[in-house]
């Protein structure tokens, strides 16, 4: 996978790290590392068939179509509201069927929905399920990492940590 990022955006991340007294060793794409995290939960066993990752952030949404363990399509779009994200997911599902030879998704994973609050996250998940006609599962890191300083972690914390954990799981640092 080759990605391109505007230099000024990468430099803004590097400046933020420098201001905190840290060095940005890597600036990576969050959605790609969420795919890594989702695959790690499967213990290296890529799901049979194509699957969809829906990454929801406060002001944008990204969808990634993964065939087995290979990323085959990514699309990001700013989101003005929940309907924008539902439309993005629906359009991606249609593109998957029409252009990528897909016949539906074997698995649909939702990450980052806590950015909109707990109630909105439930509404988003239900809206995706209604549009796609399949269950949508939240990204779970269960069994891959343990946060030893707490009994349970809030969804917001797990959503924030998931991309970084995806890098670590990809590199087998955990």
């Amino acid at each position: 996978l080759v990605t391109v990022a505007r230099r000024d955006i990468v430099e803004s991340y590097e400046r933020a790290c420098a201001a905190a007294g840290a060095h940005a060793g890597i600036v990576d794409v969050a959605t790609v590392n969420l795919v890594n995290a989702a695959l790690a939960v499967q213990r290296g066993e890529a799901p049979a068939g194509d699957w969809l990752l829906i990454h929801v952030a406060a002001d944008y949404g990204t969808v990634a179509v993964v065939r087995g363990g290979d990323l085959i399509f990514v699309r990001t779009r700013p989101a003005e509201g929940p309907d924008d994200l539902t439309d993005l997911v629906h359009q991606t599902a249609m593109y998957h069927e029409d252009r990528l030879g897909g016949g539906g998704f074997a698995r649909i994973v939702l990450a980052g929905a806590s950015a909109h609050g707990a109630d909105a996250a439930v509404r988003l998940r239900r809206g995706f399920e209604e549009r796609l006609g399949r269950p949508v599962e939240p990204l779970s890191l269960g069994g891959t990492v343990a946060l030893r300083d707490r009994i349970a972690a809030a969804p917001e914390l797990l959503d924030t940590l998931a991309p970084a954990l995806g890098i670590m799981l990809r590199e087998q640092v955990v």
Side-chain angles (χ1 to χ4, degrees):
L1 175 68
V2 175
T3 59
V4 177
R6 289 182 16 203
R7 181 179 304 275
D8 62 318
I9 293 173
V10 172
E11 288 172 346
S12 73
Y13 287 117
E14 292 172 334
R15 281 192 302 275
C17 288
H23 170 72
I26 186 169
V27 177
D28 208 345
V29 180
T31 301
V32 172
N33 288 303
L34 291 171
V35 170
N36 291 332
L39 287 170
V41 171
Q42 297 290 325
R43 309 251 190 280
E45 298 289 323
D50 296 352
W51 59 280
L52 180 70
L53 174 84
I54 306 167
H55 177 203
V56 178
D59 57 353
Y60 70 90
T62 301
V63 290
V65 177
V66 184
R67 185 161 282 156
D70 299 321
L71 187 62
I72 63 168
F73 180 81
V74 176
R75 183 172 180 203
T76 299
R77 189 167 83 186
E80 310 253 335
D83 290 339
D84 290 342
L85 297 173
T86 304
D87 289 344
L88 174 64
V89 168
H90 178 74
Q91 291 166 3
T92 301
M94 295 299 98
Y95 184 83
H96 174 253
E97 287 182 24
D98 296 343
R99 303 286 184 201
L100 300 176
F105 296 112
R107 179 180 183 210
I108 303 168
V109 178
L110 176 62
S114 68
H116 293 277
D119 292 340
V122 170
R123 284 192 304 276
L124 273 170
R125 184 178 50 83
R126 288 183 181 152
F128 297 146
E129 288 176 342
E130 186 177 301
R131 276 288 183 102
L132 298 171
R134 295 204 31 87
V136 174
E137 63 186 82
L139 176 63
S140 168
L141 300 172
T144 58
V145 294
L147 301 175
R148 294 190 177 114
D149 68 329
R150 58 196 73 229
I151 295 171
E156 298 83 7
L157 176 61
L158 293 175
D159 282 343
T160 301
L161 292 175
L165 293 172
I167 294 171
M168 294 170 58
L169 292 165
R170 176 188 69 204
E171 299 297 325
Q172 299 178 358
V173 175
V174 177

